[in-house]
Structure formats: C-alpha cells, structure tokens
Amino acid sequence: MVHIDQDDGFLDPAVYGDTIAEAYDGFYSSPDQTVGAPGTGATAADFLYARAGAGPVLELGVGTGRVALPLAAQGVKVIGIDASPRMLARLREKPGGSDLDLKLGDFTELDFPAASLSLVYVVFNTFFMLADQDAQVRCFTSVASALRPGGLFVLEAFVPDLARYDHGRCVQVERLEGESTQLSAAVHDPVAQRIRHRRIVLGPDGVRTYPADLRYVWPSELDLMGRIAGLELAERWAGWAGEPFTATSGYHVSVWRKPSA
C-alpha cells in the first residue's frame, strides 16, 4: 500500500484554484474533456435552469464560470463563491463575468440570510474538496438553512471506483497533444476516503504540476448528510441529460429538496 503522510495536511482549495486558474479552461474545453463525464457546462446549465425557480441561485466553487455564465445567460440571477482569488479574477475577465455576484470565501459555512435562495448547486466533484466528513456535513446544513422551503440542492460528482487503484495508487495518461503530455498520478487512502491527485504536464516549457486533494463520498453517505441537514432526496441521475442512474453509473447528479413549510 502507498503511505499518505497525514501530517502533510489536506490541500487548501484556494491553493488548488490559484495553481490551476490560468490553465483550467484549457484542460476542460477540448472536445474530449467530457469522456466518461455526465456533460458540459451548457448541459448542466440547462438542467439547473429548469429547476432554478425564482432565484437567486448560488454556485459553490464557481471557478471560472463553466456553469454560472451559461446559466446567467438564461436570465437566472447567479451568485458564485470560490476560495481562489485567481479563479474569480479569470471569471470576471470573461464576457458576463462582471455581472455575476461573486464572493471570495469558504463554502463550508455560508453567510446568507435564512431561506433566501431557491437553488444551490456544486458541480464537477468540487464538493469533494472539503477536507473531511464534518466539513461536508456542515456544508449540507448551511445550504439547507439558506434554501427557501421547497428549494433544491444539486450536486454532481463521480461514483468512487476503487478498482482504479492498484495497491493504493493509479497513474494514467490523460492526454497527448502536440508536444505536450498530460499524466494523472494519485494515491488512495480507503480509510479516510481521500485521494491525493497530481496532474503532471510535460512539454517544451518544462514540467508543471497541478495538485488536488479529494475526500470522496458515496451517494448513500451524501443522502445521510442530506437527512441530517433536513433535506430529502428528490432526484438522482447518471448525467445532466437525465440518464437513468444504475449500479454501473460512473457519475451522479443528485437533487435534494428542502421540505415545504
């Protein structure tokens, strides 16, 4: 087994965002970026628009706006929160970015008036960047407080596939593009449910490393977090287009509802 030094600490989400901000859109804008994933930012925005209600809606970990911008373009008032100043700066530079209500901060505990939002969403595995179960439960509880009765919390993430790891490690070639080679290296701690991941880019300009640490959660554990927060599971799909969720699904889009008063 690969040993993960627990004294090394869990990577701060701001470090991830600040490190990858300049390269993020390039990594996730090519035609093959959705292989194995449930959809693009535009299809996610369509799904959310159909459930947004009167708004406003809040994106946790808004990043460079892959979902927030196409959702706002449909007339929804979008608020975005992110831990990375560089991610938010990239978003503000984009057309429509300056029209969003953007906040710098941690989304573990939200600073919003109670019952003020119609929908909160977190996509592309961003929820897993919360360091431990306690932080993830606090996020659910905070979201539930900010939602109006009948409001929705939407979360998209991968379903853990432990078969990917050989003795706790996984190394893969992600992309070959011109003179650039992208590798993915990860080590897995099944007890803490943590994955320490590094994207490594080899190219003419040298070697760049982009770190990300995740604390993954099974769908059933997420449902328990929802119940603790007073939310009830309303929908679960394998993708943004409403594909049925089955035992073989690699991703899920889950929707929890705050009961009406």
Side-chain angles (χ1 to χ4, degrees):
M1 295 294 292
V2 172
H3 175 66
I4 300 177
D5 188 350
Q6 297 301 322
D7 294 334
D8 195 24
F10 195 84
L11 185 73
D12 190 305
V15 174
Y16 164 79
D18 285 350
T19 302
I20 202 172
E22 297 302 314
Y24 186 86
D25 289 332
F27 285 151
Y28 297 105
S29 62
S30 68
D32 64 346
Q33 65 92 14
T34 58
V35 173
T40 67
T43 56
D46 290 341
F47 181 99
L48 295 166
Y49 176 75
R51 293 159 177 80
V57 306
L58 169 66
E59 178 171 358
L60 309 180
V62 67
T64 62
R66 290 170 65 196
V67 175
L69 288 174
L71 181 58
Q74 298 189 56
V76 178
K77 177 177 173 51
V78 179
I79 305 168
I81 184 170
D82 203 280
S84 166
R86 290 186 180 178
M87 282 287 210
L88 292 179
R90 293 285 291 177
L91 174 51
R92 289 189 177 99
E93 293 171 354
K94 295 182 176 183
S98 60
D99 298 329
L100 302 179
D101 183 359
L102 301 178
K103 302 178 184 297
L104 177 66
D106 175 11
F107 61 75
T108 303
E109 297 181 6
L110 302 176
D111 184 19
F112 286 88
S116 60
L117 303 172
S118 66
L119 183 143
V120 178
Y121 67 94
V122 56
V123 297
F124 305 130
N125 310 312
T126 303
F127 182 80
F128 293 170
M129 290 187 176
L130 298 178
D132 53 42
Q133 189 181 70
D134 287 343
Q136 292 168 344
V137 170
R138 288 199 304 274
C139 178
F140 260 85
T141 302
S142 186
V143 166
S145 175
L147 285 173
R148 299 179 187 130
L152 303 176
F153 181 32
V154 181
L155 184 153
E156 179 271 313
F158 64 79
V159 178
D161 178 10
L162 306 189
R164 297 179 65 239
Y165 300 93
D166 180 10
H167 295 87
R169 57 183 176 261
C170 176
V171 178
Q172 294 179 318
V173 177
E174 289 194 346
R175 186 179 301 172
L176 297 174
E177 196 170 70
E179 298 182 67
S180 176
T181 301
Q182 294 183 26
L183 306 176
S184 172
V187 291
H188 173 228
D189 179 349
V191 176
Q193 295 178 204
R194 284 185 173 179
I195 298 169
R196 178 152 292 176
H197 177 267
R198 302 294 180 263
R199 182 194 295 264
I200 304 163
V201 180
L202 313 173
D205 298 328
V207 180
R208 294 294 305 272
T209 301
Y210 302 93
D213 290 352
L214 305 176
R215 195 271 172 179
Y216 64 81
V217 188
W218 300 93
S220 57
E221 186 182 358
L222 289 167
D223 291 342
L224 180 57
M225 292 180 185
R227 289 199 296 274
I228 290 171
L231 303 177
E232 55 191 20
L233 181 67
E235 305 174 52
R236 175 162 289 139
W237 308 100
W240 296 109
E243 302 92 331
F245 181 78
T246 71
T248 62
S249 298
Y251 288 81
H252 67 97
V253 176
S254 297
V255 182
W256 294 271
R257 177 182 291 110
K258 183 174 182 177
S260 299

